[in-house]
Amino acid sequence: MTKNRTGNNQFLKAYNEAGILDLIRTRKALSRADLSKATGLSPTATGAIVSALMDKGYIHEIGTGESKGGRKPVLLELKPNSCYSVGLDVEIDCISYALTDISGRVVHEGTTALDVNTPEAVTSSAAKYINEMVEARSIRREHLLGIGISVPGMVDATTHKVLLAPNLGWEDVDLSSMLKDKLNLPAYIENEAMASAICENWVGACQGVSNFVCVNIRSGIGAGIFTGGKLYRGAGGSAGEVGHIVVDENGPRCGCGNYGCLEAIASTGRIVEKARRLVRQGVVSSLNDIADADSIQFHHVVAAARNGDETAKSLLNETARFLGIALSNLVNTLNPSKIVLGKDFVKYGDLVMDMLRSVIDCKALKRPAANVEISVSGIGEKSSTLGAAFIPLKILFGK
Amino acid sequence: MTKNRTGNNQFLKAYNEAGILDLIRTRKALSRADLSKATGLSPTATGAIVSALMDKGYIHEIGTGESKGGRKPVLLELKPNSCYSVGLDVEIDCISYALTDISGRVVHEGTTALDVNTPEAVTSSAAKYINEMVEARSIRREHLLGIGISVPGMVDATTHKVLLAPNLGWEDVDLSSMLKDKLNLPAYIENEAMASAICENWVGACQGVSNFVCVNIRSGIGAGIFTGGKLYRGAGGSAGEVGHIVVDENGPRCGCGNYGCLEAIASTGRIVEKARRLVRQGVVSSLNDIADADSIQFHHVVAAARNGDETAKSLLNETARFLGIALSNLVNTLNPSKIVLGKDFVKYGDLVMDMLRSVIDCKALKRPAANVEISVSGIGEKSSTLGAAFIPLKILFGK
């Protein structure tokens, strides 16, 4: 119990404001009477909150709705371009950006290459890009809610430092403070799979879903987990490291030092390595038509599989089998209602979904397996960039 | 947002009452001034709530504390025996009971054998026992908060029916309604591992711990998971089925139909089976001193290991290795701050803890592994019976 819980007016006011703002966001075009009915607040209190939100510029009136007797009700909606949020996703060799307005609509997106990916280089590059992006659109500084940053690494739940980002070679980096100091704007940092989960929950397949898991497959494999409607970070911030679930005790060595981790078998980098090895071994396959083994990229493997190449198909299905073992563990442990697979999985998910589903149906317990929906992310590769942009919005909407 | 959130007085009153009651429970002997300071409520509001709680009989004054100038403060405490809660744990061949008072102190515990374990037989037996227990102590019906029931099976998160309890042969059983009808008292049902987690959180090693896992090892293996300070049931109520994490793809067949599940290797039943098989195979061991293989029980295996028998020691350590693989998955996925191992594990945990810890340190990621405390439950076999009894208390205390 805190002072805030005891009926403190300021707290309740902010709470109710955020709640009404969120109702307008999720249900669109509502009248003051609709809002009063939905919240249980009196018409007077509702009117005062609506006025305050209009004064702040977050909402506006968009005309009148159908009358149920009496005056036609005036409908309210989020005011597009009233405020903005920036999301960025730090990758090994580039940074992806998204600028969204209050409704989550993407106003701009872009990517810049990184020659070096030290924290200083990332901060300088990001600050320059954000300043230019904002100036080009004549967006006033006070209309920027803040910056969300997605990183491929563990973020400490308390200090918000990047504890470890193996692919970037970072350890104990306070990137959000660095960017905050450079731009003088609130900055929030999140693990990339958790950012994707925020995205799926805000605008994607998991809106209104309380218990779900987003699994991102790329050079690494990680998950963002929601429990009870909230992002679950774990005690230290490293929850969701499902890439290190051991799926084959006799499997290949993983970057973490262990053997047979999911990531060491089913990451896209490992799939490419295996395809190259098969070509070198002279296994008959259309992959051999590519000049040499070292030139094979992930898109070649997917294209070959789509063209019916059995070697490429088996390769993808085999990784899906191991992915299925890891997901079965998640189904048994977490009993989620949805599992959404994203990033590179979007490129080949349709080819392996039958295999994945059959492994889960076979290996997970019957009831939680029957009740979990497994799907490919409809948002695709930008989910963590967008999810990062939604962090400042979530704060505005009291989420 | 609901009406309750808008400052509704009745709601806030109940909320603050529960909050003050919980402060008195957890911090013991507090004055009205202490409570006012801790909650931020005015002295007048605090006084009114304290009076209401005294009128209800939940708390009483226990004398005066140190003065910091002025009158000595009157200290308040939970009133022992002001109200009671019943917990029962349904097992294959018996029901265990606990009667606790408002403070969680156990007033009575007992066990009755079950000749048949149909839902009807369990309900009748439980109702008879509870009636006799309450009458013997002259406890008035209105002083009974309710009954918590722990079952070894999946409980539907919405309907509260027992979806499936394989060891009892139950499917879709509404046991809590049956008992409620028979006793005319509120009855709440929970999975046994989840009940143990409630127990560890209420009076055990996980008081105030937000993210932890309790793993129970007996004829089955299951976990109760807390995330963000709350019991996590998953979408359908079956979260925590860690006994079916596949730890050895080529392992023995499990009751679920799959192969190599943790439960099929490390449950106490399977340990006994393996010990009997070794004896039949004539493996040199002090277990051979027991008349015949079929007579070997779990306590024989543990006793032999304690006496230095290498076969028994290896057997327990081997199961701990597989347990370690499953727990490593949990550490990577959930990043808990504690894992507490209970039920039969209490009998041999000290013998295998080194093995368990070393597997987790080797197989889980370094940071979450270094930050997770692995311990044997200090509560022991009664954790789910007690946890069941705490369910009605949790409701009283607004938890």
Side-chain angles (χ1 to χ4, degrees), chain A residues 3 32-33 42-43 64 91 97 140 143-144 147-148 181 216 235 240-241 243 249 252 254 267 287 335-336 388 398:
Chain A
K3 285 196 185 187
R32 287 167 178 80
S42 70
T64 53
E91 296 177 54
Y97 297 89
R140 278 158 55 192
H143 290 170
L144 272 180
I147 299 160
D181 289 347
N216 278 352
E241 288 286 353
E249 246 207 300
C254 178
S267 71
L287 288 168
N335 180 208

Side-chain angles (χ1 to χ4, degrees), chain B residues 59-82:
Chain B
I59 59 173
H60 64 170
E61 297 178 339
I62 52 154
T64 52
E66 290 292 302
S67 166
K68 290 170 189 159
R71 272 199 305 176
K72 284 187 178 180
V74 178
L75 299 180
L76 300 155
E77 215 175 57
L78 293 182
K79 191 173 168 188
N81 306 336
S82 58

Side-chain angles (χ1 to χ4, degrees), chain B residues 12-256:
Chain B
L12 275 180
K13 198 177 153 225
Y15 185 86
N16 286 331
E17 265 192 30
I20 283 195
L21 198 57
D22 198 48
L23 275 172
I24 296 173
R25 176 182 81 88
T26 50
R27 298 209 206 152
K28 313 270 176 352
L30 293 177
S31 69
R32 287 167 178 81
D34 295 332
L35 290 167
S36 172
K37 201 175 157 195
T39 59
L41 289 168
S42 70
T44 315
T46 308
I49 290 171
V50 165
S51 295
L53 289 170
M54 285 178 71
D55 287 348
K56 288 179 181 171
Y58 296 146
I59 59 173
H60 64 170
E61 297 178 339
I62 52 154
T64 52
E66 290 292 302
S67 166
K68 290 170 189 159
R71 272 199 305 176
K72 284 187 178 180
V74 178
L75 299 180
L76 300 155
E77 215 175 57
L78 293 182
K79 191 173 168 188
N81 306 336
S82 58
C83 61
Y84 299 86
S85 180
V86 178
L88 57 100
D89 185 29
V90 182
E91 295 177 56
I92 299 171
D93 55 1
C94 65
I95 308 177
S96 297
Y97 298 88
L99 177 69
T100 80
D101 74 3
I102 188 172
S103 70
R105 187 175 61 94
V106 177
V107 178
H108 169 85
E109 45 186 0
T111 303
T112 54
L114 280 173
D115 294 328
V116 278
N117 59 20
T118 60
E120 293 71 25
V122 165
T123 313
S124 297
S125 173
K128 186 166 173 283
Y129 189 94
I130 292 167
N131 278 328
E132 287 172 4
M133 176 171 70
V134 167
E135 272 169 37
R137 266 153 209 82
S138 308
I139 293 170
R140 279 157 57 190
R141 236 11 207 250
E142 60 268 32
H143 289 171
L144 271 179
L145 294 170
I147 298 160
I149 309 162
S150 149
V151 285
M154 285 184 200
V155 176
D156 188 286
T158 313
T159 65
H160 309 296
K161 283 186 185 179
V162 181
L163 286 176
L164 189 71
N167 292 337
L168 296 171
W170 293 6
E171 204 162 337
D172 283 315
V173 173
D174 195 356
L175 195 75
S176 54
S177 291
M178 288 169 72
L179 202 56
K180 189 181 164 189
D181 289 347
K182 238 185 170 102
L183 286 166
N184 201 22
L185 281 169
Y188 314 90
I189 195 154
E190 199 65 84
N191 163 275
E192 67 94 25
M194 294 189 192
S196 291
I198 289 171
C199 182
E200 296 290 349
N201 182 245
W202 200 248
V203 298
C206 300
Q207 290 176 71
V209 180
S210 293
N211 306 303
F212 69 88
V213 182
C214 283
V215 180
N216 278 352
I217 298 176
R218 186 167 276 192
S219 54
I221 298 180
I225 299 169
F226 265 61
T227 64
K230 292 198 163 138
L231 181 64
Y232 174 70
R233 292 187 178 84
S238 78
E241 287 286 353
V242 301
H244 301 282
I245 289 179
V246 175
V247 290
D248 179 10
E249 246 207 299
N250 306 311
R253 194 177 168 93
C254 177
C256 74

Side-chain angles (χ1 to χ4, degrees), chain A residues 1 5 15-16 19 163 211 227 232 235-238 240-241 244-245 249 258 321 332-335 363 367, chain B residues 1 5 15-16 19 163 211 227 232 235-238 240-241 244 249 258 321 329 332-335 363 367:
Chain A
M1 190 161 2
R5 292 178 174 185
Y15 186 85
N16 285 331
L163 285 175
N211 306 303
T227 65
Y232 174 69
S238 78
E241 288 286 353
H244 302 282
I245 290 179
E249 246 207 300
N258 202 355
R321 192 173 74 77
N332 287 339
T333 304
L334 293 173
N335 180 208
K363 296 216 174 264
R367 293 204 186 228
Chain B
M1 193 163 359
R5 292 178 174 186
Y15 185 86
N16 286 331
L163 286 176
N211 306 303
T227 64
Y232 174 70
S238 78
E241 287 286 353
H244 301 282
E249 246 207 299
N258 202 357
R321 192 172 74 78
N329 283 343
N332 286 339
T333 304
L334 293 173
N335 179 208
K363 295 216 176 267
R367 294 205 185 226

Side-chain angles (χ1 to χ4, degrees), chain A residues 200-268:
Chain A
E200 295 291 349
N201 182 246
W202 201 249
V203 297
C206 301
Q207 291 175 71
V209 179
S210 292
N211 306 303
F212 68 88
V213 183
C214 284
V215 181
N216 278 352
I217 298 177
R218 186 167 277 190
S219 53
I221 298 181
I225 299 169
F226 264 61
T227 65
K230 293 201 164 138
L231 182 64
Y232 174 69
R233 292 188 179 83
S238 78
E241 288 286 353
V242 301
H244 302 282
I245 290 179
V246 175
V247 290
D248 179 10
E249 246 207 300
N250 306 312
R253 193 177 169 92
C254 178
C256 75
N258 202 355
Y259 290 86
C261 295
L262 175 64
E263 190 167 299
I265 296 171
S267 71
T268 42

Side-chain angles (χ1 to χ4, degrees), chain A residues 211 331 335-339 357 360-361 365-374, chain B residues 154 156 163 235-238:
Chain A
N211 306 303
V331 167
N335 180 208
S337 50
K338 290 199 182 195
I339 296 179
R357 185 78 237 187
I360 293 167
D361 287 343
L365 291 177
K366 204 177 131 202
R367 293 204 186 228
N371 293 321
V372 65
E373 189 187 318
I374 315 278
Chain B
M154 285 184 200
D156 188 286
L163 286 176
S238 78

